[in-house]
Amino acid sequence: MTIKEKTSLFGLSSQCVLKVDDDYKTLEDYQGRISRWCPGCGDNGILTAAQRLCRDEQLPPEKCVFVSGIGCAARFPHYMNTYGFHGLHGRALPTAQGVKFRRPDLHVFVNMGDGDCCSIGTAHWIHAIRSNMKLVVMMHDNNIYGLTKNQASPTTPIGRKTNTTPRGAWLKALNPLTVTLGITNASFVAQVVEWLPELLYDVIRQAFHHNGLAFIRILQRCPHFTPDVFSNLLSDPKKLLMLEHENGIKLSDTMAKLYQTRQQHDPSNLHRAREIAEADDLVPIGILYKNESVPRYEQLTKPKQKPTWEQRETLLNNAFDRFGINIDARAAAGNI
Ligand code: SF4
C-alpha cells in the first residue's frame, strides 16, 4: 500500500503527513552498550542528556568522540554509539586536546570523575582550561572514588569516613568551581545537578555551543558509596541557588515555584562568579561564567597559510639532511 493509500485510509491528506528525513537520527542511534553502572547511579542521567544532545543537534555519530580517564564515569564512551577513548587515569583532557588539535572538525566531549579530574589529573585540568580548546568537559562529582571502592577524593566532605579516611576526611573539600574560575583563560564554568534533567540538558547544550572549553561540574549521586551526600539538597530545594539570566539558564514556571532561592546573575561578571562559587551556604546552579572572546589554543597556533606539498617536501628533506652524513665533507677534512 502506498503512503497516499494509507493516509486516505485514515481520512488524512497526504500533504499532512509529517515528512521524516531518512537520515534523521533517533536516540537509539547514539546508544552504545547497556550501562553497567549501579541502579540509581546519577551517571545514567548524564548519559541520557548527552545522547539527547547528539540527537537534537543531529550530530553524525562518526564525528563525535567521547574521551574519558579511569573511574565509574570513565565508562561513558562504552555507552555511546560514537567514537570514544577510554584512557588512563587523569589523562582524559590531554587525550581530548590531541584529538581536537589534529581533527578540529570532530565534536569532542570529556567525561571525568572528581578523583580523575581533581587529583591525578589536576595539572592537565589547569592547563586544559588555560588552553581553552573547544571541548565539552563534564566532571561527574560524586565526592568519592567509586570504582576503587569508597576512597576519599579531593571533593569528599570534611569528616566523612571512607576506606582511606576511617576517622573521617581531614581536609576541607576542594572547590572545583573556585579553582577553575581562578585559572587564566577560563571561558565557561557551570554547575548543575544530574537529578534535574531539564537543567542538566540545558547546561550541556549551552556548553556544546560555547566557543571554547566548557567546564561543567555535575553533582552526581552515587547510591552505592555516598547515598546521603546530597540528601540535604534533595530534601530542601532552598539550598540550591538558581542563577538565572537571559544568557544563562531560565527556569520554567513549575521549576521556579519549586526552587525559590534564585538570583539574577550575569555570566559575563567574573568577579561576581567567583564570589558566588566561594559561598559555603548555598549550592549555585547554572552558568557562573561565560566569555566567548577568550582565544582558543587551536586558533592561536593555526598556521596562517597551509604549506604546499613542495614546501612540505623541502622542510622534510632539510630535516633529514640535518642528520645525514656528508661523505665528501668528511673526506675533505681527512676524517675518512
Ligand atoms: Fe555509580 Fe557509585 Fe555505582 Fe560507581 S559505585 S556506578 S558512581 S553508584
Side-chain angles (χ1 to χ4, degrees), residues 37-38 41 43 72 142 146 220 222-225:
W37 289 315
C38 306
C41 175
D43 285 337
C72 292
N142 57 6
Q220 176 237 317
C222 168
H224 200 76
F225 292 118

